Amino acid sequence: MAETNSPAGPPTIFCSSCGAVMERDARFCPSCGAANPHAAAAVGDGSGVKRTDHIKYRNMWVQVLLAIVTLGIYTIYWFHVTLGELYRANGNEEGSGCLWTFLSIIPIVQFFAYWHHSFQYEKFIDRKHPGIAIFILWIVFSPIVWFLVQRDLNAAAKGQPF
């Protein structure tokens, strides 16, 4: 597929099957329906497509080691970064998660941050797990939430369904 830049919009490409003009991030050719190999990575369970090209793969064992070595400070960083990735995957480009990350380290108020993170995750996984259940897991045994969220983000980073 050949690419051309248009000054008034996203770069366009030509379909390798029929030659029709299409946007670079279009998943399929609008004329013939051929798959676009240049489309941004997007995965999901079929009920909604998520943009996942920005999600970084993180090794779970390295994260555990970093959490231990930094005496838990890495977990604050992880909360911030994953919330930002969830925002972008859910279509909220402006969200950064700074306020929610700050709130996550304040006793009692942290429950609001956990609530927010839980429902961003629920939206990301297309309600595979209810947000209220994830929130309860945050309170009861937060490492399981860490595992669930990172497992699904890693699957998305690899382009696999989650």
Side-chain angles (χ1 to χ4, degrees), residues 14-36:
F14 298 98
C15 177
S16 59
S17 296
C18 69
V21 176
M22 58 192 272
E23 289 185 14
R24 181 174 180 77
D25 59 351
R27 295 187 66 212
F28 300 99
C29 174
S31 294
C32 69
N36 177 7

Side-chain angles (χ1 to χ4, degrees), residues 37-124:
H38 299 289
V43 294
D45 68 354
S47 61
V49 175
K50 304 291 181 188
R51 182 171 163 250
T52 61
D53 57 325
H54 63 282
I55 296 176
K56 180 182 173 189
Y57 178 87
R58 293 177 189 85
N59 184 298
M60 299 289 278
W61 292 110
V62 171
Q63 288 186 58
V64 170
L65 181 65
L66 284 170
I68 293 168
V69 169
T70 64
L71 303 175
I73 294 173
Y74 176 79
T75 61
I76 299 168
Y77 168 79
W78 177 87
F79 185 93
H80 176 72
V81 171
T82 58
L83 188 56
E85 289 177 349
L86 292 173
Y87 277 151
R88 288 186 66 195
N90 292 333
N92 182 359
E93 295 292 327
E94 292 83 36
S96 70
C98 289
L99 173 66
W100 294 108
T101 302
F102 176 71
L103 295 176
S104 73
I105 61 174
I106 301 173
I108 306 301
V109 179
Q110 69 194 23
F111 296 123
F112 292 105
Y114 296 163
W115 179 271
H116 183 73
H117 195 282
S118 299
F119 282 90
Q120 285 298 315
Y121 174 61
E122 177 195 47
K123 186 176 178 185
F124 176 70

